[in-house]
Amino acid sequence: MTNPLSTPAGEALHGVGVSPGRAAGQVAHVRPPAGEPAAAPAVPPERAEEEAARIGPAAEAVARALEESAALVEGERRELLETTAQMAADPTLVGGAADLVRTEHLPAPRAVWQTAGSVAEQLTALGGYMAERARDVADVRDRIIAELTGAPVPGVPQRAEPYVLVAVDLAPADAALLDPARVLAIVTAEGGPTSHTAILARSLGIPAVVGVAGVTDAIAEGATVLVDGGAGAVDLEPDDEALARAAEPNVVRDFDGHGRTADGHEVDLMANVGDLASAETAARAGAQGVGLFRTEFCFLGRRQEPDVEEQANAYRAVLEQFPGQKVVVRTLDAGADKPLPFVTDAEEANPALGVRGLRTARKAPEVLENQLAAIARAAEGTTAEVWVMAPMVATVRETEDFVTACERHGLTTAGVMVEVPSAALLAGPILARSAFASVGTNDLTQYAMAADRLLGSLTELSDPWQPAVLRLVDATCTGGAQQSRPVGVCGEAAADPALAVVLVGLGVSSLSMTPRALGDVAAVLGATDLATCRGVARLAVDAESAEDARAKARDALPVLGELGL
């Protein structure tokens, strides 16, 4: 039977649900940028220097506004705003635009537009992380041009009444400024489950649907819609009953620190953390430990690696938040979207398929050795149960080498991340050598579907509900069962309550997610017995599309509707 709470009553648009919950309200569109400046007369030579001099202060004003906003938030939101602020102050952009005014006598807005276009093209050509930065360049360009022309700054509208935000996509800086007290729900034409918009919406508890083609044209400003972030649907004609249900506040559920199914099957519900602040948040939320401790925060933005003592102190501060609990530390995941000059090559044609993750140890083995030494030193000073795993493992030999390296430093619980299809297919022999596996569904989906997870036009392929991805998770769990080794999931898929049921049904023993999702996932698992989890998992794995897998799973789980998920 179809779940009535997940099916729009009237005409509906469909996309990928990336943050569960339902909300209804009037639509507000993101303020669009002014676009390409209109043709204007050339700047007289005698005024060129004066015109060029306008660009620097405008860029400084943009950077200052972003920095002021960054000071009001923390964690990834602050990082996004600070990164955009740095881009605004980039001398390549500001100096290049000023030079165009001086040499070609272009008006300042036109010079900024052309220079930003050139910078964005260069970044896009580099691929991976650098290509993602091209979006920041466009955002900064539009903000500087607005400052120069006096036009409204593009971005999220500031309104007294709460609203449903509709956009083609959100710039990282706009996503970082989302206010859950004002934004009831988010609907975008582009983006995917691992986009900044999706990740931040989940962390803030804002229902969100992405990948809704043509949504900015289909929904007018001021229209009333109902957004179902779990089902991935936008009801354009919600009836009074549906509006009344959506008006009920989305409950922030507490987690009692004990994950299990309705019949008592234990499932560790853990948190993904990336620094001390996020670890403190996870501990307050009652997480049963950390399923993914990202260590890149010690390395990013540096020309040289931090020394062992500095790393050990930083890691120890996180470990101390989880006395007696498991903390799974991921070694440096540099490359692709996280380039570092001392271990990666910025000139790689395709960084996502290049030297990243554990592969960087081929170029700089001392960086891995130093990090393992730091992790071991940090572990000595705490009671946390420290596990260590390597990212981007693809072969049995890589597994053996990593486990041996860990043993040299007294780290006896060494595992691997399953992000590459080969690792899933070789899970049996890999887990005969390692203590555990953790599935990174973000990259596993990207590599299984041959779809860049940062590319909005491929949103439907970047969906962890894809049956091919679920079959790879199934293969990993089968390999784990053969070797009596635990398999966890630490990708964004773990935060989806419906998909969590599927993952547990496949044999996953731990789920690691944003702390905000712990209560919802615990509630759904606590209302579902293991046999049902297994049955729902088979429905999803045997489906022929992501849409079919999601729909069948949700139809089999009426508890989702009862909980407003």
Side-chain angles (χ1 to χ4, degrees), residues 56 68 108 112 147 166 182-183 194 267 331 392 454 469 503:
E68 290 171 354
V112 170
E147 186 72 26
V166 172
R182 289 283 176 264
V183 181
T194 60
V267 183
T331 56
M392 283 296 289
L454 301 177
V469 177
L503 296 172

Side-chain angles (χ1 to χ4, degrees), residues 466-513:
Q466 287 287 351
V469 177
L470 297 178
R471 292 185 186 192
L472 290 171
V473 177
D474 192 15
T476 305
C477 291
T478 298
Q482 290 171 352
Q483 306 297 338
S484 298
R485 297 286 196 252
V487 173
V489 168
C490 61
E492 294 298 325
D496 180 337
L499 193 46
V501 169
V502 171
L503 296 172
V504 170
L506 293 176
V508 168
S509 59
S510 65
L511 299 166
S512 191
M513 63 201 74

Side-chain angles (χ1 to χ4, degrees), residues 244-276:
R245 287 197 304 267
E248 299 173 0
N250 291 311
V251 178
V252 180
R253 295 180 178 84
D254 292 330
F255 175 48
D256 66 4
H258 187 191
R260 67 280 205 195
T261 60
D263 53 341
H265 175 73
E266 300 283 340
V267 183
D268 289 341
L269 299 184
M270 311 172 79
N272 297 335
V273 306
D275 55 19
L276 177 57

Side-chain angles (χ1 to χ4, degrees), residues 38-92:
V43 176
E46 65 272 15
R47 287 193 56 249
E49 192 59 41
E50 177 186 352
E51 182 73 0
R54 297 175 58 215
I55 298 173
E60 290 172 4
V62 169
R64 187 165 54 250
L66 291 167
E67 289 167 352
E68 290 171 354
S69 296
L72 302 176
V73 295
E74 60 182 28
E76 185 173 1
R77 302 170 74 190
R78 173 174 288 185
E79 292 175 10
L80 286 172
L81 289 165
E82 290 175 342
T83 297
T84 308
Q86 291 169 3
M87 189 72 74
D90 185 356
T92 302

Side-chain angles (χ1 to χ4, degrees), residues 426-500:
L426 290 171
I430 282 177
L431 283 166
R433 275 79 167 177
S434 59
F436 68 95
S438 184
V439 181
T441 52
N442 303 352
D443 271 325
L444 184 61
T445 302
Q446 171 175 247
Y447 292 128
M449 304 306 296
D452 187 340
R453 59 192 177 96
L454 301 177
L455 193 58
S457 60
L458 298 179
T459 296
E460 76 281 0
L461 296 178
S462 301
D463 190 338
W465 282 94
Q466 287 287 351
V469 177
L470 297 178
R471 292 185 186 192
L472 290 171
V473 177
D474 192 15
T476 305
C477 291
T478 298
Q482 290 171 352
Q483 306 297 338
S484 298
R485 297 286 196 252
V487 173
V489 168
C490 61
E492 294 298 325
D496 180 337
L499 193 46

Side-chain angles (χ1 to χ4, degrees), residues 417-429:
M417 286 199 72
V418 175
E419 302 163 284
V420 181
S422 65
L425 298 173
L426 290 171

Side-chain angles (χ1 to χ4, degrees), residues 136 251 429 521:
D136 294 331
V251 178
V521 172

